[in-house]
Amino acid sequence: MTDCLFCGIVEGSVPSQTVASDERTVAFMDINPATPGHALVVPRAHSADLLDIDAGDLAATSVASQRLARRMKEELGADGVNLINACGEVAFQTVFHFHIHVVPRYRGDPLKLPWVPTEGDPDEIAATAAKLRDAGGGDDG
Ligand code: AMP
Ligand code: ZN
């Protein structure tokens, strides 16, 4: 049992649309997508933020974000990607388990940063997750 939301997602006790995973990282869809396909990459091991994370986990989450960005281009037709990390409350961090936002960008999309989180449609998020999910993507509970 954990009281960290993203540890719960890593363990599977909190439902998520997981799209990729490896030995050190898990990637899943953000429930308040800034654009269609917005996902988060987290280390399996808990760390609070950028100042706290182990260097190996930081490298692994960065490489996993690059892999996901490539899939967003290939599978979702993204024209670009923003990688965003919020470190500390003053920088808009709201979940204190390190995560990299991988936000696909589409030419002409209306997103202005920082965005105001708005709940996404679960069916649309699930359909986009199915396109992004790779063979090692894990379950979709
Ligand atoms: P941050 O403000 O950088 O800490 O971002 C936290 C992100 O986690 C926000 O974009 C939220 O929409 C997202 N989020 C919160 N709860 C969940 C959840 N249960 N599953 C997926 N994403 C979540
Ligand atoms: Zn955690």
Side-chain angles (χ1 to χ4, degrees), residues 19-20 27 39 41 64-73 102 132:
V19 292
V41 179
S65 299
Q66 182 193 44
R67 265 198 315 264
L68 196 52
R70 287 183 173 144
R71 285 190 71 76
M72 286 170 174
K73 192 159 187 208
V102 188
L132 273 180

Side-chain angles (χ1 to χ4, degrees), residues 2-8 10 43-48 95-98:
T2 173
D3 57 6
C4 170
L5 178 64
F6 289 173
C7 281
V10 168
R44 289 182 181 276
H46 180 88
S47 61
V95 178
F96 290 84
H97 178 130
F98 179 86

